[in-house]
Amino acid sequence: MTANKKAINREGKGFYRSSEYMYKVSVYVGLSDIVDSTSSLHANWRMIGERPLYIKPQSFALPANTIGSSKNKAEYIKGHFLSLIRIEDAVVEKPPPIPITNYGNIDSVNAYFGDTATLNALIDAFAKQKRTTRENLLSNIPFTINGITKKRPANEILPTKIGGVFQNQVPWLIIYEPVIIAYLKDQTTVLAFTATEYALAQKMGFFNFKSGGGGQYIGAMTHSDLPNSITLEESWFGFPVTSALADGVYWSESRIIAGGGWGMRMLRVGGANAVPNNITHDYEYRVDTYVITSVRIFADEDITPDNRHESEQDESKRSCKYRRESF
């Protein structure tokens, strides 16, 4: 089954591309050597940098005037309003594809964000964001180690390795949220949103990503596939466990905001093994095979994922087969 971008736009539907994805990443440093996942994220950890960073593969250029937001999921759960920004740049890295929406594998996601090389690259990127060095990024933060609170030299805090031993005397945390770039049917608006941001924008009436009047017909991605892609397995920092739903079942906006579409990795004191906290439903698709799927896949990799509005009128179309032509 093939189509092109013009055909999609004539149908009056938004779309996204399977080859275009990002992650919205926040890095936190623990303020003492005893904080862990049971501590308060907002009281006992400090987010470095001015705001979360976007990281993307080199394989595509971010469209001009792409809209994102300046907060992360933890901040939105705390009560921050959706704060829209123009994304001026993104860090070019080698992040793995997102599970489900972009045919990624959760093991690859875990390995990437659990790698200290990724953590150190992100620290460098946040230092660049603040126009400083990685050492000065932490220079004004007091840390409590062995019961003594004071400012510390960077080599006691950063996850650097000397003689095969990591030197960090406090833990580090990465929070990452998969981001899908959506091209809306007005052929002008481009959104790079997390599952939480799509839900907030829908709930606040900024956009209708579902079907119906003014709908973008991408609700299968925004309200099912993306929140299902990565979810917390355990309650860290008091954030609730929100389990994935069956394929094709829409999450409510409130449920997405509470727990859909994010993962965490922690590096303990002394560089102990990174601790994962995410799970996923990992679907594997293979070239030149027929699969039962909730998305339409086109040869140019433009996807209009919400064909479910058709089944609202014709139940027999609920399990239609689509052929994947190219990857």
Side-chain angles (χ1 to χ4, degrees), residues 129-324:
Q129 181 193 71
K130 293 195 71 173
R131 298 176 178 82
T132 188
T133 64
R134 59 191 279 123
E135 291 78 16
N136 287 338
L137 194 62
L138 309 170
S139 61
N140 291 321
I141 303 175
F143 294 94
T144 302
I145 299 174
N146 295 324
I148 300 174
T149 302
K150 65 178 183 179
K151 295 177 182 178
R152 305 278 175 165
N155 60 10
E156 295 182 5
I157 305 300
L158 291 169
T160 53
K161 185 181 287 187
I162 299 177
V165 179
F166 281 97
Q167 303 300 301
N168 61 299
Q169 296 185 38
V170 294
W172 287 81
L173 176 74
I174 300 177
I175 294 179
Y176 49 96
E177 305 173 63
V179 172
I180 293 295
I181 299 168
Y183 297 81
L184 302 193
K185 64 184 183 181
D186 63 7
Q187 303 185 45
T188 300
T189 305
V190 181
L191 305 178
F193 277 3
T194 65
T196 302
E197 291 157 354
Y198 280 116
L200 284 167
Q202 178 85 28
K203 190 172 185 178
M204 297 172 70
F206 292 168
F207 303 98
N208 175 19
F209 300 114
K210 301 177 183 179
S211 59
Q216 299 293 329
Y217 291 94
I218 58 173
M221 178 271 286
T222 62
H223 285 67
S224 178
D225 296 344
L226 191 55
N228 267 343
S229 64
I230 303 174
T231 60
L232 297 186
E233 187 175 28
E234 299 176 1
S235 177
W236 280 17
F237 309 107
F239 298 119
V241 172
T242 308
S243 59
L245 298 180
D247 181 42
V249 177
Y250 278 25
W251 295 45
S252 68
E253 282 86 42
S254 296
R255 195 172 195 273
I256 295 172
I257 295 166
W262 67 333
M264 301 181 187
R265 302 285 284 185
M266 186 184 299
L267 185 71
R268 298 193 186 279
V269 173
N273 291 337
V275 181
N277 190 349
N278 58 68
I279 57 176
T280 187
H281 292 290
D282 186 23
Y283 298 92
E284 292 185 359
Y285 297 97
R286 302 186 184 280
V287 177
D288 295 328
T289 61
Y290 282 91
V291 295
I292 296 177
T293 176
S294 61
V295 303
R296 290 180 175 179
I297 303 175
F298 298 94
D300 60 0
E301 295 189 310
D302 290 355
I303 301 175
T304 301
D306 197 3
N307 63 305
R308 297 192 181 104
H309 65 280
E310 298 174 349
S311 64
E312 294 170 2
Q313 299 178 355
D314 186 354
E315 181 69 23
S316 66
K317 295 181 180 179
R318 189 172 299 276
S319 296
C320 290
K321 291 183 178 180
Y322 296 95
R323 182 175 178 81
R324 181 177 174 190

Side-chain angles (χ1 to χ4, degrees), residues 3-6 8 17-19 298-303 326:
N4 56 36
K5 192 184 304 181
K6 290 183 179 179
I8 294 171
R17 293 176 175 143
S18 62
S19 59
F298 298 94
D300 60 0
E301 295 189 310
D302 290 355
I303 301 175
S326 67

Side-chain angles (χ1 to χ4, degrees), residues 10-231:
R10 281 200 299 269
E11 292 177 0
K13 301 174 184 177
F15 68 94
Y16 74 96
R17 293 176 175 143
S18 62
S19 59
E20 297 182 1
Y21 62 90
M22 300 194 293
Y23 289 87
K24 189 174 194 176
V25 182
S26 304
V27 172
Y28 290 77
V29 60
L31 296 179
S32 81
D33 54 355
I34 62 172
V35 299
D36 58 18
S37 61
T38 65
S39 306
S40 167
L41 180 64
H42 302 294
N44 302 121
W45 296 73
R46 178 75 59 84
M47 185 169 69
I48 65 172
E50 297 174 344
R51 60 186 179 278
L53 287 172
Y54 292 91
I55 59 175
K56 61 176 284 295
Q58 191 176 9
S59 56
F60 73 96
L62 192 65
N65 298 320
T66 299
I67 299 172
S69 90
S70 61
K71 304 295 182 182
N72 65 23
K73 187 179 186 74
E75 293 172 306
Y76 287 128
I77 291 175
K78 189 180 179 182
H80 285 272
F81 291 104
L82 182 62
S83 178
L84 300 182
I85 60 171
R86 300 286 182 182
I87 302 176
E88 297 180 355
D89 54 20
V91 177
V92 177
E93 256 282 342
K94 296 181 179 179
I98 300 168
I100 304 179
T101 55
N102 301 81
Y103 322 116
N105 183 288
I106 193 60
D107 292 334
S108 298
V109 175
N110 284 344
Y112 178 78
F113 286 107
D115 191 334
T116 53
T118 300
L119 174 58
N120 277 298
L122 291 171
I123 293 171
D124 288 339
F126 279 109
K128 183 178 179 181
Q129 181 193 71
K130 293 195 71 173
R131 298 176 178 82
T132 188
T133 64
R134 59 191 279 123
E135 291 78 16
N136 287 338
L137 194 62
L138 309 170
S139 61
N140 291 321
I141 303 175
F143 294 94
T144 302
I145 299 174
N146 295 324
I148 300 174
T149 302
K150 65 178 183 179
K151 295 177 182 178
R152 305 278 175 165
N155 60 10
E156 295 182 5
I157 305 300
L158 291 169
T160 53
K161 185 181 287 187
I162 299 177
V165 179
F166 281 97
Q167 303 300 301
N168 61 299
Q169 296 185 38
V170 294
W172 287 81
L173 176 74
I174 300 177
I175 294 179
Y176 49 96
E177 305 173 63
V179 172
I180 293 295
I181 299 168
Y183 297 81
L184 302 193
K185 64 184 183 181
D186 63 7
Q187 303 185 45
T188 300
T189 305
V190 181
L191 305 178
F193 277 3
T194 65
T196 302
E197 291 157 354
Y198 280 116
L200 284 167
Q202 178 85 28
K203 190 172 185 178
M204 297 172 70
F206 292 168
F207 303 98
N208 175 19
F209 300 114
K210 301 177 183 179
S211 59
Q216 299 293 329
Y217 291 94
I218 58 173
M221 178 271 286
T222 62
H223 285 67
S224 178
D225 296 344
L226 191 55
N228 267 343
S229 64
I230 303 174
T231 60

